[in-house]
Amino acid sequence: MKVRINEVNEVALEGWFLWFILFWVVVLVGLFAIGGYFMFRKFLKSMPKKDGLSDLNWEEYYVDKTIHLWGTEEKAMLNELVQPVPDLFRPVAKQKIAGRIGQILLEEKVKKMKLEHIIRGYIIATPKRDHKFLRKKLAEMQIDIAPYEQYFGK
C-alpha cells in the first residue's frame, strides 16, 4: 500500500487499497439497492387500498377465516409445494398462498378443503415465472395438471 503525503498534507490512495475501497463501495451500494427494493415492495403491499385494507390485511383475513379448514394433510401438502422456494422467502410465500387458498374457499363457501383448492390457490398466487417449478413439483408428486391448465394462463 502506497500512501503519499503531498506538500499540502493530503493523502492520496493508490494501488490495491484504492481498488479494495472501490470494490466495497460497489458491493455495499448493490446490497443496499437490493434490500431497498424488497423493503419497498413490502411497503407497497402494506399500503391500504380503496377499501381501507392492504393486501397483507386481506391475506391475514382469509387465513384467519379459513384456519379451521386446514388439517395436517393440507398443511403438509402446502409445505411440500413450497419446497422449491428459498428458505428466506418461504414463510412469505406460504402466507400469500394460504391467503389465496382461503379466498377461494370463502368465495366457494366450501365446508372441507380439497387438494384441488390447494393446487388452484397455489397456481393463482404464484407469478408466471414460477409456474415451471410448480409443474415440475406436481409431476414429481404424480399429480395430473390437466384439470388446472386454465389457471396457468392467468
Side-chain angles (χ1 to χ4, degrees):
M1 176 174 90
K2 291 183 185 178
V3 177
R4 280 188 309 161
I5 299 180
N6 297 355
E7 297 163 4
V8 212
N9 292 333
E10 293 179 359
V11 176
L13 294 176
E14 294 179 352
W16 68 269
F17 191 68
L18 171 68
W19 291 108
F20 178 75
I21 296 295
L22 289 175
F23 169 76
W24 278 109
V25 166
V26 169
V27 167
L28 288 176
V29 167
L31 290 174
F32 282 134
I34 292 167
Y37 169 76
F38 285 108
M39 287 178 65
F40 188 69
R41 281 184 48 189
K42 186 76 167 186
F43 171 74
L44 287 179
K45 284 184 77 174
S46 67
M47 292 293 294
K49 306 290 184 208
K50 291 180 182 177
D51 60 5
L53 295 175
S54 68
D55 291 341
L56 294 176
N57 292 347
W58 277 113
E59 286 174 9
E60 199 172 301
Y61 170 80
Y62 290 130
V63 170
D64 289 343
K65 288 292 184 182
T66 59
I67 195 76
H68 64 281
L69 297 174
W70 286 90
T72 54
E73 290 179 20
E74 289 82 8
K75 289 177 186 176
M77 179 64 174
L78 181 61
N79 287 330
E80 183 68 27
L81 288 174
V82 296
Q83 285 301 316
V85 177
D87 289 338
L88 183 63
F89 305 109
R90 199 170 293 156
V92 175
K94 283 170 60 173
Q95 175 73 17
K96 181 179 179 181
I97 295 164
R100 182 60 64 156
I101 293 169
Q103 181 181 5
I104 291 170
L105 295 172
L106 288 178
E107 287 173 355
E108 295 179 5
K109 299 176 183 165
V110 298
K111 301 293 183 204
K112 181 162 176 36
M113 186 185 307
K114 297 178 184 171
L115 177 66
E116 167 200 347
H117 298 117
I118 296 171
I119 295 173
R120 190 165 29 130
Y122 193 100
I123 293 169
I124 295 170
T126 56
K128 286 184 180 181
R129 67 178 178 270
D130 295 339
H131 285 174
K132 65 181 176 181
F133 299 113
L134 177 59
R135 287 177 187 268
K136 183 179 175 185
K137 187 67 176 175
L138 291 174
E140 287 174 9
M141 298 173 71
Q142 299 177 348
I143 296 174
D144 182 27
I145 60 171
Y148 309 105
E149 284 296 333
Q150 60 186 343
Y151 303 111
F152 281 110
K154 291 183 179 182

